[in-house]
Amino acid sequence: MLSEVNSQGADAVSARLAFALQNGHIWPAFQPIVDIQSGGLRGFEVLARWTDPQAGEISPATFIPFLEQHDQIDKLFNHLVYSACPAAADWPGQFFLAFNLSPKQLVGKGFPVELAETVQSTGFPLARFQVEVTESSLISDVEGAYANLNELDDMGIKVAIDDFGTGYSSLARLEAFPFRKLKIDACFVRGLDRDRSKRRIAAAIIGLGQSLGITVVAEGVETSREEGVLRDLGCNLGQGWLYGRPTSKDEARRALQVLSSTSEVDVPLDVSPFQQLHQLATLYKQAPVGLCFLDLSFRHVRANDRFASIHNMTGSELEGKTISDVMSGPTLATVKRILNQSLLSDEPITENYVHGDRHLRVICTRVVDLTGEVIGFSGVSLDTEAPLESCQRVLEGAVAFRKHPPVLRRCPGCSSGSQSQFNAGTS
């Protein structure tokens, strides 16, 4: 149908679009965006749907590029705003509505003021109106886009960068532009519970957003397992078929009544790798026991000076060396046995052994990632020749630290054991 109209020229396209808008063939669909941590409904992305009486459902992948090609996307955007915002103005809660901007709109002169006036005329709060832009839309006119986005931000309209990681990614641009939300593209979300590389990419993007104080939204969430991984990684919001497909305004309002909306936090909680790196460094430095983390090749990835002193080294000198580089004979065989034994157990392995003139007690725990795949070993060591009361106190403190790490439980990409998500010595 659209191809036939396309052959008749721009005037025919404009007339066809006007007819569809006037007769309600094009309508706003509301897709839920949910707080992954609490389960509360936080907002909706408003998407265009075209239901033609003769042709049936016309895919957005077909009509959006078609309208952009014929310079009609502004009319569609305005129709969505004028249709969705008045309908949602009296809905309960502090939810937001998010709309997609085209590259042309993004750099249009006077667009921010026009948009603000349009939204205000609908009765929907400007502070809960959001826009989404793709990375590629920033390329054509960087200065114009920068000016308009800053003006929108000054008005209180939050701007999200959509499909992050699939376009012309620029960390400098992410830092410079006033983005308040970052949306992870669905290609990095679908199947991340089964694909380690996707988990690592998602963890990196989430950590980046957290470090910059940007709310992170995962698109394309389809299963509870994917949601669980995202929750453990500290992702703020989720969008996808797990929470609901784009739906009518009446169904969207009913969804609000079922899932209570929560007010949005301006600055999301920072549980980023950047923050945790410094917390971990402090713990390693100040811990009253030896701490280390070994990879599956039995290399010392991280070790504090107290642990490295067993081998008459500093922590930095020990890191990178395997246990075979610093041990031999019966001691090496004992340590290998302990590591191999912990590889098969969810419970910590505790054992005493002698290394040189040191009598040591070691607590070894396997470290697994969010899906249970073993990625290394956490080790705690202490001298057993210390006074008995002091030794017992140190041991109890080490075990308590392993079981109850209050801040580092959601270290992106890793956890230790089956009960907690971080243990002494992980990095």
Side-chain angles (χ1 to χ4, degrees):
M1 180 200 72
L2 292 182
S3 59
E4 296 175 359
V5 176
N6 186 41
S7 64
Q8 298 173 20
D11 290 341
V13 172
S14 179
R16 186 71 187 86
L17 175 61
F19 179 82
L21 296 178
Q22 291 169 4
N23 290 275
H25 300 162
I26 297 179
W27 50 279
F30 299 79
Q31 184 166 31
I33 299 178
V34 172
D35 188 315
I36 290 180
Q37 306 302 322
S38 70
L41 181 55
R42 293 278 292 275
F44 300 92
E45 180 178 356
V46 180
L47 303 165
R49 292 295 182 263
W50 191 331
T51 306
D52 187 82
Q54 285 78 42
E57 297 293 334
I58 302 175
S59 170
T62 299
F63 71 78
I64 295 294
F66 177 81
L67 296 178
E68 288 179 336
Q69 176 187 350
H70 291 280
D71 216 13
Q72 300 292 312
I73 201 68
D74 287 3
K75 293 182 180 179
L76 176 64
F77 177 84
N78 289 335
H79 174 74
L80 291 178
V81 173
Y82 277 120
S83 300
C85 288
D90 63 346
W91 292 357
Q94 296 298 309
F95 64 92
F96 61 82
L97 295 182
F99 297 79
N100 293 286
L101 289 186
S102 71
K104 181 183 176 182
Q105 289 174 300
L106 182 58
V107 298
K109 188 175 182 179
F111 172 73
V113 174
E114 294 175 3
L115 176 61
E117 291 175 349
T118 298
V119 176
Q120 289 170 337
S121 70
T122 67
F124 191 80
L126 194 64
R128 292 197 275 122
F129 186 94
Q130 302 181 5
V131 294
E132 299 182 1
V133 299
T134 60
E135 297 176 77
S136 57
S137 66
L138 306 174
I139 301 303
S140 62
D141 182 357
V142 175
E143 291 184 2
Y146 180 82
N148 278 353
L149 291 181
N150 274 285
E151 191 170 353
L152 290 171
D153 187 68
D154 290 340
M155 293 175 175
I157 296 177
K158 287 186 173 64
V159 180
I161 183 166
D162 199 7
D163 301 335
F164 186 79
T166 62
Y168 301 89
S169 302
S170 169
L171 297 183
R173 190 177 296 119
L174 182 63
E175 190 275 335
F177 279 72
F179 296 121
R180 304 301 176 187
K181 285 189 177 179
L182 185 160
K183 303 189 76 174
I184 308 175
D185 189 78
C187 69
F188 301 123
V189 174
R190 294 194 181 105
L192 88 167
D193 57 310
R194 304 183 303 275
D195 190 325
R196 179 193 288 186
S197 64
K198 288 187 176 183
R199 288 196 299 275
R200 292 186 174 182
I201 291 173
I205 296 175
I206 292 168
L208 176 64
Q210 292 169 340
S211 296
L212 296 175
I214 300 175
T215 299
V216 180
V217 185
E219 297 183 290
V221 184
E222 296 184 352
T223 70
S224 57
R225 287 181 60 84
E226 292 168 353
E227 180 190 50
V229 173
L230 292 165
R231 182 185 297 111
D232 287 338
L233 291 176
C235 188
N236 307 111
L237 304 177
Q239 178 179 357
W241 290 354
L242 178 65
Y243 311 113
R245 303 194 182 200
T247 188
S248 68
K249 59 183 180 182
D250 293 334
E251 292 175 338
R253 179 165 188 164
R254 284 194 289 271
L256 274 175
Q257 295 171 342
V258 174
L259 297 174
S260 58
S261 170
T262 57
S263 59
E264 186 169 6
V265 178
D266 290 334
V267 180
L269 183 66
D270 185 0
V271 291
S272 64
F274 176 80
Q275 181 200 61
Q276 294 183 24
L277 172 65
H278 296 290
Q279 291 174 320
L280 185 62
T282 300
L283 288 171
Y284 263 59
K285 183 177 180 180
Q286 297 180 355
V289 295
L291 300 175
C292 77
F293 173 71
L294 291 85
D295 65 15
L296 293 177
S297 298
F298 298 164
R299 292 178 299 181
H300 295 84
V301 177
R302 189 73 182 270
N304 66 359
D305 289 343
R306 188 179 294 270
F307 183 91
S309 68
I310 298 172
H311 307 289
N312 297 315
M313 296 180 180
T314 65
S316 59
E317 290 172 339
L318 180 60
E319 289 169 4
K321 292 181 170 57
T322 68
I323 59 174
S324 298
D325 293 331
V326 294
M327 297 179 183
S328 61
T331 302
L332 176 61
T334 297
V335 172
K336 283 185 176 180
R337 176 177 56 77
I338 294 171
L339 291 170
N340 288 324
Q341 186 178 353
S342 68
L343 188 65
L344 304 176
S345 174
D346 289 334
E347 297 300 319
I349 305 300
T350 301
E351 188 161 334
N352 296 339
Y353 74 94
V354 178
H355 180 62
D357 59 353
R358 300 276 291 273
H359 292 256
L360 302 168
R361 176 168 296 175
V362 172
I363 306 170
C364 185
T365 310
R366 69 177 185 178
V367 178
V368 301
D369 70 6
L370 295 172
T371 61
E373 183 176 351
V374 180
I375 60 174
F377 307 91
S378 167
V380 180
S381 71
L382 55 95
D383 289 279
T384 57
E385 289 189 330
L388 182 60
E389 182 179 348
S390 173
C391 177
Q392 184 63 31
R393 187 167 57 251
V394 170
L395 179 58
E396 290 173 353
V399 173
F401 171 72
R402 182 186 61 77
K403 290 184 176 179
H404 304 289
V407 177
L408 299 180
R409 286 177 295 181
R410 295 192 303 183
C411 177
C414 69
S415 62
S416 182
S418 60
Q419 299 299 318
S420 63
Q421 294 152 357
F422 187 88
N423 271 308
T426 60
S427 62

